[in-house]
Amino acid sequence: AAITYGEKRIVCSRMGNRYRIAGLAECAGYNTAITPKRIDYMYRNVTTLFPQLLSIPREKVMSWACLRASTPDGIPLVGKTPYTNL
């Protein structure tokens, strides 16, 4: 189960014995660079919700970025394709 903190655009969920904090999608092309300012934003806000996470040393916090297909307004592109069954 996930917890969505809509006001701050953050989603929290468990992954085994870890917590996964995700959010802040941006249109950045194929850029997977991690912006420390965004990581700090998510860390500050999630520890406000879950102060017990402050007991985890900051060095153990892993950061990553991934590419996800999306349009700027979030509306999917729908139309003809070269495949007859799609």
Side-chain angles (χ1 to χ4, degrees):
I3 298 170
T4 301
Y5 188 9
E7 180 181 315
K8 300 293 183 178
R9 300 179 319 258
I10 296 172
V11 177
C12 311
S13 60
R14 290 207 46 150
M15 291 182 72
N17 63 348
R18 296 178 178 204
Y19 292 102
R20 178 176 184 253
I21 314 302
L24 301 174
E26 65 179 290
C27 294
Y30 291 98
N31 182 357
T32 58
I34 295 171
T35 308
K37 185 175 164 182
R38 288 175 171 267
I39 300 300
D40 290 342
Y41 172 86
M42 288 192 288
Y43 184 82
R44 276 193 325 273
N45 283 288
V46 79
T47 53
T48 299
L49 286 174
F50 305 106
Q52 65 272 29
L53 294 178
L54 288 168
S55 66
I56 299 170
R58 188 73 188 261
E59 305 80 49
K60 292 204 176 239
V61 175
M62 296 172 33
S63 303
W64 73 95
C66 63
L67 300 175
R68 184 171 29 151
S70 184
T71 58
D73 60 5
I75 298 173
L77 300 175
V78 179
K80 291 180 109 178
T81 72
Y83 305 99
T84 58
N85 63 344
L86 179 60

